[in-house]
């Protein structure tokens, strides 16, 4: 399937994958730079648990990216946020390239 052309991945976010909880709080993996297209629009989205929350940004990235819910993300401007959910999008029905849509708090 077609991927997002590299020329559209004009932003870079830093993703620290959520690894669980410890006695001192959340534990994250190593920060990884992720090329993406970042759309900083506010939207209402549903969490994997079914709650409706506000997403302040959406990142569109390659399907090879790993961004589990609750992962810590640093945006290009330096703001730190959290992954609400990441969905694989198959472009067949939409006429778009296959990509990972990452909803951010």
């Amino acid at each position: 399937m077609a991927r997002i052309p590299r020329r559209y991945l004009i932003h870079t976010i830093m993703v620290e994958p959520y690894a669980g909880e410890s006695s001192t709080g959340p534990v994250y993996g190593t920060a990884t730079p992720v090329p993406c297209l970042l759309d900083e629009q506010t939207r209402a989205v549903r969490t994997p648990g079914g709650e409706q929350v506000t997403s302040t940004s959406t990142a569109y990235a390659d399907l090879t990216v790993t961004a589990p819910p609750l992962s810590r993300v640093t945006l290009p401007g330096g703001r730190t946020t959290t992954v609400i959910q990441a969905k694989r999008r198959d472009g067949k029905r939409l006429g778009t390239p296959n990509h990972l849509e990452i909803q951010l708090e």
Side-chain angles (χ1 to χ4, degrees), residues 28-58:
Y28 299 99
T30 305
T32 306
V34 174
C36 66
L37 176 63
L38 186 63
D39 180 12
E40 296 192 72
Q41 288 188 31
T42 302
R43 298 186 176 109
V45 298
R46 293 221 180 261
T47 66
E51 298 175 65
Q52 186 168 338
V53 296
T54 302
S55 169
T56 59
S57 303
T58 305

Side-chain angles (χ1 to χ4, degrees), residues 12-80:
T12 300
I13 58 175
M14 296 298 288
V15 176
E16 297 171 71
Y18 179 72
E21 293 285 330
S22 75
S23 61
T24 59
V27 177
Y28 299 99
T30 305
T32 306
V34 174
C36 66
L37 176 63
L38 186 63
D39 180 12
E40 296 192 72
Q41 288 188 31
T42 302
R43 298 186 176 109
V45 298
R46 293 221 180 261
T47 66
E51 298 175 65
Q52 186 168 338
V53 296
T54 302
S55 169
T56 59
S57 303
T58 305
Y60 302 93
D62 196 73
L63 288 175
T64 59
V65 172
T66 301
L70 303 178
S71 294
R72 185 165 47 196
V73 176
T74 304
L75 302 178
R79 183 170 70 91
T80 302

